[in-house]
């Protein structure tokens, strides 16, 4: 994701230290239930579409904007899939971030998928049985989208994840 201006301003004083930021992502499906993915320009990894909401921007509005900015695809949101903290990420320039991420299920309503900014080198629709290599978090989000379960997934409290 391109670094928003407000993050660049924070980085002037924070340097590369870990920033706790809001994040949004989406499992975008088309009429054939294919998943829309982007290949990131910075890492070369295939991922779901995601980004950082602008200050004051609603999460749903942010992910609809991000999907269009990155892929030229228009979407309608269906539901929230999950809410939780991501593992810390270190970018090639040394910046470190951790995100409180809201992942949505979205359906394509228009547009033709293409690289629409400099954040991605490729964009494509993939059948569920033909996904490129994805990390575990991406695969978990896609599995939640396809499960048909209507409930939003929330990470368990840290106290329940830590064994004594």
């Amino acid at each position: 994701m391109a670094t928003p201006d407000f993050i660049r301003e924070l980085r002037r004083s924070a340097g590369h230290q870990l920033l706790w930021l809001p994040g949004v992502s989406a499992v975008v499906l088309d009429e054939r239930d294919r998943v829309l993915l982007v290949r990131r320009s910075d890492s070369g990894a295939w991922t779901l579409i995601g980004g950082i909401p602008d200050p004051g921007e609603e999460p749903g509005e942010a992910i609809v904007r991000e999907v269009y900015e990155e892929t030229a695809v228009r979407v309608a949101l269906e539901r929230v899939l999950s809410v939780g903290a991501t593992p810390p990420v270190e970018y090639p320039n040394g910046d470190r971030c951790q995100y409180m991420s809201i992942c949505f299920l979205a359906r394509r309503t228009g547009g033709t998928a293409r690289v629409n900014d400099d954040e991605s080198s490729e964009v494509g629709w993939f059948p569920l049985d033909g996904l490129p290599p994805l990390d575990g978090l991406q695969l978990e989000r896609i599995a939640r989208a396809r499960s048909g379960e209507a409930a939003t997934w929330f990470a368990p409290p840290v106290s329940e994840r830590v064994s004594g």
Side-chain angles (χ1 to χ4, degrees):
M1 66 186 75
T3 305
D5 290 339
F6 79 96
I7 300 295
R8 279 195 208 92
E9 185 65 30
L10 276 173
R11 285 285 179 210
R12 281 188 190 73
S13 60
H16 295 300
Q17 73 178 310
L18 183 69
L19 295 180
W20 175 247
L21 299 170
V24 292
S25 65
V27 176
V28 178
L29 301 175
D30 70 1
E31 60 283 347
R32 294 170 34 199
D33 280 342
R34 295 177 302 171
V35 179
L36 182 61
L37 299 172
V38 295
R39 184 187 291 265
R40 293 179 57 101
S41 296
D42 59 358
S43 68
W46 284 100
T47 68
L48 298 169
I49 293 93
I52 299 171
D54 293 329
E57 185 178 31
E58 291 293 332
E61 179 183 16
I63 193 57
V64 168
R65 174 184 53 77
E66 288 285 347
V67 171
Y68 184 76
E69 285 178 359
E70 294 183 26
T71 69
V73 170
R74 299 277 183 202
V75 297
L77 301 180
E78 292 191 352
R79 65 185 174 93
V80 173
L81 291 173
S82 63
V83 177
T86 67
V89 176
E90 184 166 335
Y91 292 98
N93 68 356
D95 287 351
R96 294 181 309 126
C97 299
Q98 187 169 10
Y99 298 94
M100 171 53 65
S101 182
I102 300 171
C103 183
F104 295 87
L105 173 60
R107 287 279 175 182
R108 178 189 172 275
T109 60
T112 301
R114 63 180 170 84
V115 173
N116 204 35
D117 65 14
D118 61 357
E119 297 178 42
S120 305
S121 59
E122 293 180 68
V123 171
W125 292 103
F126 292 87
L128 294 173
D129 62 355
L131 296 172
L134 296 169
D135 71 28
L137 183 60
Q138 312 294 312
L139 292 171
E140 286 173 18
R141 289 173 173 175
I142 292 168
R144 278 191 204 102
R146 301 308 306 141
S147 74
E149 185 176 322
T152 301
W153 179 88
F154 294 93
V158 172
S159 62
E160 292 177 18
R161 289 182 272 157
V162 177
S163 57

mmCIF file of all heavy atoms in Angstrom, residues 79-83 102-103 144 149-154:
data_model
loop_
_atom_site.group_PDB
_atom_site.id
_atom_site.type_symbol
_atom_site.label_atom_id
_atom_site.label_comp_id
_atom_site.label_asym_id
_atom_site.label_seq_id
_atom_site.Cartn_x
_atom_site.Cartn_y
_atom_site.Cartn_z
ATOM 1 N N ARG A 79 -20.475 -8.069 4.173
ATOM 2 C CA ARG A 79 -20.407 -8.226 5.627
ATOM 3 C C ARG A 79 -18.968 -8.100 6.101
ATOM 4 O O ARG A 79 -18.042 -8.129 5.305
ATOM 5 C CB ARG A 79 -20.995 -9.556 6.079
ATOM 6 C CG ARG A 79 -20.250 -10.785 5.622
ATOM 7 C CD ARG A 79 -21.003 -12.059 6.042
ATOM 8 N NE ARG A 79 -20.401 -13.242 5.509
ATOM 9 C CZ ARG A 79 -19.495 -13.990 6.147
ATOM 10 N NH1 ARG A 79 -19.100 -13.649 7.359
ATOM 11 N NH2 ARG A 79 -19.004 -15.071 5.596
ATOM 12 N N VAL A 80 -18.824 -7.983 7.414
ATOM 13 C CA VAL A 80 -17.505 -7.994 8.041
ATOM 14 C C VAL A 80 -17.135 -9.454 8.287
ATOM 15 O O VAL A 80 -17.910 -10.204 8.889
ATOM 16 C CB VAL A 80 -17.505 -7.198 9.369
ATOM 17 C CG1 VAL A 80 -16.176 -7.364 10.103
ATOM 18 C CG2 VAL A 80 -17.811 -5.733 9.112
ATOM 19 N N LEU A 81 -15.967 -9.850 7.813
ATOM 20 C CA LEU A 81 -15.497 -11.224 8.020
ATOM 21 C C LEU A 81 -14.762 -11.395 9.336
ATOM 22 O O LEU A 81 -14.962 -12.375 10.045
ATOM 23 C CB LEU A 81 -14.556 -11.649 6.887
ATOM 24 C CG LEU A 81 -15.153 -11.833 5.518
ATOM 25 C CD1 LEU A 81 -14.055 -12.080 4.500
ATOM 26 C CD2 LEU A 81 -16.143 -12.997 5.538
ATOM 27 N N SER A 82 -13.875 -10.439 9.640
ATOM 28 C CA SER A 82 -13.061 -10.605 10.839
ATOM 29 C C SER A 82 -12.543 -9.260 11.327
ATOM 30 O O SER A 82 -12.434 -8.307 10.561
ATOM 31 C CB SER A 82 -11.876 -11.540 10.573
ATOM 32 O OG SER A 82 -11.008 -10.996 9.600
ATOM 33 N N VAL A 83 -12.241 -9.242 12.623
ATOM 34 C CA VAL A 83 -11.636 -8.086 13.268
ATOM 35 C C VAL A 83 -10.530 -8.616 14.166
ATOM 36 O O VAL A 83 -10.774 -9.498 14.997
ATOM 37 C CB VAL A 83 -12.658 -7.299 14.116
ATOM 38 C CG1 VAL A 83 -11.981 -6.144 14.842
ATOM 39 C CG2 VAL A 83 -13.821 -6.809 13.262
ATOM 40 N N ILE A 102 -9.758 -4.800 9.909
ATOM 41 C CA ILE A 102 -11.136 -5.221 9.655
ATOM 42 C C ILE A 102 -11.154 -5.769 8.237
ATOM 43 O O ILE A 102 -10.776 -5.067 7.293
ATOM 44 C CB ILE A 102 -12.116 -4.041 9.785
ATOM 45 C CG1 ILE A 102 -12.047 -3.443 11.186
ATOM 46 C CG2 ILE A 102 -13.539 -4.496 9.443
ATOM 47 C CD1 ILE A 102 -12.818 -2.143 11.332
ATOM 48 N N CYS A 103 -11.557 -7.024 8.087
ATOM 49 C CA CYS A 103 -11.630 -7.651 6.772
ATOM 50 C C CYS A 103 -13.099 -7.803 6.372
ATOM 51 O O CYS A 103 -13.921 -8.298 7.153
ATOM 52 C CB CYS A 103 -10.944 -9.016 6.781
ATOM 53 S SG CYS A 103 -10.923 -9.796 5.144
ATOM 54 N N ARG A 144 -12.870 -18.013 5.559
ATOM 55 C CA ARG A 144 -14.025 -17.427 6.273
ATOM 56 C C ARG A 144 -15.075 -16.923 5.293
ATOM 57 O O ARG A 144 -16.271 -17.070 5.508
ATOM 58 C CB ARG A 144 -13.575 -16.289 7.172
ATOM 59 C CG ARG A 144 -13.031 -16.764 8.475
ATOM 60 C CD ARG A 144 -12.832 -15.620 9.468
ATOM 61 N NE ARG A 144 -11.823 -16.069 10.400
ATOM 62 C CZ ARG A 144 -10.550 -15.701 10.380
ATOM 63 N NH1 ARG A 144 -10.131 -14.810 9.530
ATOM 64 N NH2 ARG A 144 -9.711 -16.188 11.246
ATOM 65 N N GLU A 149 -20.569 -18.820 6.998
ATOM 66 C CA GLU A 149 -20.903 -18.434 8.367
ATOM 67 C C GLU A 149 -21.108 -16.928 8.427
ATOM 68 O O GLU A 149 -20.268 -16.155 7.978
ATOM 69 C CB GLU A 149 -19.769 -18.844 9.312
ATOM 70 C CG GLU A 149 -20.087 -18.598 10.759
ATOM 71 C CD GLU A 149 -18.983 -19.096 11.677
ATOM 72 O OE1 GLU A 149 -18.406 -20.158 11.390
ATOM 73 O OE2 GLU A 149 -18.716 -18.409 12.666
ATOM 74 N N ALA A 150 -22.227 -16.509 8.950
ATOM 75 C CA ALA A 150 -22.574 -15.088 8.960
ATOM 76 C C ALA A 150 -21.901 -14.319 10.089
ATOM 77 O O ALA A 150 -21.758 -13.104 10.002
ATOM 78 C CB ALA A 150 -24.088 -14.915 9.052
ATOM 79 N N ALA A 151 -21.478 -14.998 11.133
ATOM 80 C CA ALA A 151 -20.899 -14.313 12.290
ATOM 81 C C ALA A 151 -19.513 -13.768 11.965
ATOM 82 O O ALA A 151 -18.726 -14.401 11.272
ATOM 83 C CB ALA A 151 -20.817 -15.266 13.476
ATOM 84 N N THR A 152 -19.209 -12.596 12.479
ATOM 85 C CA THR A 152 -17.882 -12.004 12.349
ATOM 86 C C THR A 152 -16.929 -12.725 13.288
ATOM 87 O O THR A 152 -17.271 -13.007 14.431
ATOM 88 C CB THR A 152 -17.935 -10.506 12.713
ATOM 89 O OG1 THR A 152 -18.857 -9.859 11.847
ATOM 90 C CG2 THR A 152 -16.568 -9.861 12.589
ATOM 91 N N TRP A 153 -15.724 -13.023 12.818
ATOM 92 C CA TRP A 153 -14.710 -13.659 13.645
ATOM 93 C C TRP A 153 -13.928 -12.577 14.377
ATOM 94 O O TRP A 153 -13.517 -11.586 13.784
ATOM 95 C CB TRP A 153 -13.756 -14.480 12.781
ATOM 96 C CG TRP A 153 -12.666 -15.149 13.568
ATOM 97 C CD1 TRP A 153 -12.720 -16.375 14.157
ATOM 98 C CD2 TRP A 153 -11.367 -14.629 13.848
ATOM 99 N NE1 TRP A 153 -11.537 -16.636 14.791
ATOM 100 C CE2 TRP A 153 -10.687 -15.584 14.620
ATOM 101 C CE3 TRP A 153 -10.713 -13.441 13.537
ATOM 102 C CZ2 TRP A 153 -9.384 -15.405 15.073
ATOM 103 C CZ3 TRP A 153 -9.413 -13.245 13.996
ATOM 104 C CH2 TRP A 153 -8.773 -14.236 14.752
ATOM 105 N N PHE A 154 -13.753 -12.780 15.682
ATOM 106 C CA PHE A 154 -12.931 -11.908 16.506
ATOM 107 C C PHE A 154 -11.834 -12.745 17.130
ATOM 108 O O PHE A 154 -12.074 -13.870 17.570
ATOM 109 C CB PHE A 154 -13.759 -11.265 17.638
ATOM 110 C CG PHE A 154 -14.814 -10.309 17.153
ATOM 111 C CD1 PHE A 154 -16.111 -10.755 16.923
ATOM 112 C CD2 PHE A 154 -14.510 -8.979 16.925
ATOM 113 C CE1 PHE A 154 -17.086 -9.887 16.469
ATOM 114 C CE2 PHE A 154 -15.477 -8.110 16.481
ATOM 115 C CZ PHE A 154 -16.776 -8.555 16.248
#
